[in-house]
Amino acid sequence: MAFKLASLVFAAALFVSTSAVPTPEILTRQNGYACQPSQNAAGRKATLLSLGASVTDLAISIQETSCDFSADYPYGDDYPGPDGGDDGTPKTGDAANFGLFKNNWKQIRTYCTQFMNQTPAQWNNGAALNTDDQAAIICQHQQMDAMGYGFWAAQRGCDNGDQYQSNIQLIENYLNAGNLNNDMVISPELQNC
């Protein structure tokens, strides 16, 4: 058993030294990320992929929902506080977030066919994305198709979205390195913008 463990550690070290794919240890040490097991993450990832999600979508959901792959956050989401956590003030109108990607109502009603031409006052209609993952995935793809690179800036609005996109790419690389079918996920901390 000790030999197998030592072999695995050596293989992992060799892989890290010859690959550009970040490991959980590298992510934790260099970028403020933490690797953690999440109950049934493998099953949830498989379900979302079967509904049409891409690996990029999974990475965004991990980033936005702290690895839950769900809309299980305060209704509409909360505004961030000065320490980076939520301050408890609910978002409403165009600022309200919905679905497993936490897209805001302004993006949703502008780019998602299901909600086009709705007004800021109709923001509660976005709640449909909290319970329909496939609709949330379709909406996410419509936004990304329409906005291109601008999606990243709109999603988090910091330094033109460069840091956000970099975070997503790190998570995507981790998932593509053989971590789609296990219960490990990367829980990133967004850098303050």
Side-chain angles (χ1 to χ4, degrees):
M1 174 105 173
F3 176 74
K4 285 183 181 180
L5 182 58
S7 296
L8 285 173
V9 170
F10 174 76
L14 182 62
F15 177 74
V16 169
S17 67
T18 61
S19 173
V21 176
T23 64
E25 295 78 22
I26 288 175
L27 290 172
T28 300
R29 187 178 63 244
Q30 294 178 355
N31 301 302
Y33 285 62
C35 184
Q36 61 188 28
S38 178
Q39 187 175 18
N40 196 33
R44 190 71 176 118
K45 289 183 271 187
T47 297
L48 294 173
L49 290 168
S50 75
L51 292 174
S54 66
V55 174
T56 301
D57 294 328
L58 295 180
I60 291 169
S61 182
I62 288 169
Q63 176 78 56
E64 294 298 330
T65 67
S66 300
C67 309
D68 286 341
F69 298 104
S70 75
D72 187 21
Y73 49 85
Y75 185 78
D77 202 12
D78 290 335
Y79 282 100
D83 63 353
D86 292 340
D87 78 353
T89 304
K91 294 180 179 181
T92 60
D94 279 340
N97 292 322
F98 297 102
L100 62 129
F101 307 110
K102 283 192 177 180
N103 298 125
N104 69 51
W105 178 241
K106 174 69 174 180
Q107 288 173 271
I108 293 167
R109 69 184 182 85
T110 302
Y111 299 107
C112 301
T113 307
Q114 180 180 350
F115 301 100
M116 279 187 170
N117 301 316
Q118 294 192 29
T119 68
Q122 293 173 294
W123 66 277
N124 282 301
N125 293 343
L129 299 179
N130 288 350
T131 56
D132 187 341
D133 290 338
Q134 189 163 37
I137 292 165
I138 290 168
C139 185
Q140 170 88 345
H141 292 174
Q142 290 173 341
Q143 291 173 71
M144 291 180 80
D145 289 347
M147 298 173 71
Y149 184 79
F151 170 82
W152 304 106
Q155 183 69 2
R156 276 295 163 248
C158 56
D159 69 9
N160 298 320
D162 291 340
Q163 182 60 53
Y164 186 84
Q165 188 170 10
S166 176
N167 289 347
I168 297 304
Q169 187 62 58
L170 283 170
I171 300 166
E172 202 172 347
N173 290 348
Y174 176 76
L175 292 171
N176 282 325
N179 293 294
L180 280 173
N181 300 316
N182 62 36
D183 286 333
M184 292 301 281
V185 292
I186 296 295
S187 177
E189 296 297 325
L190 272 176
Q191 292 187 8
N192 290 333
C193 305

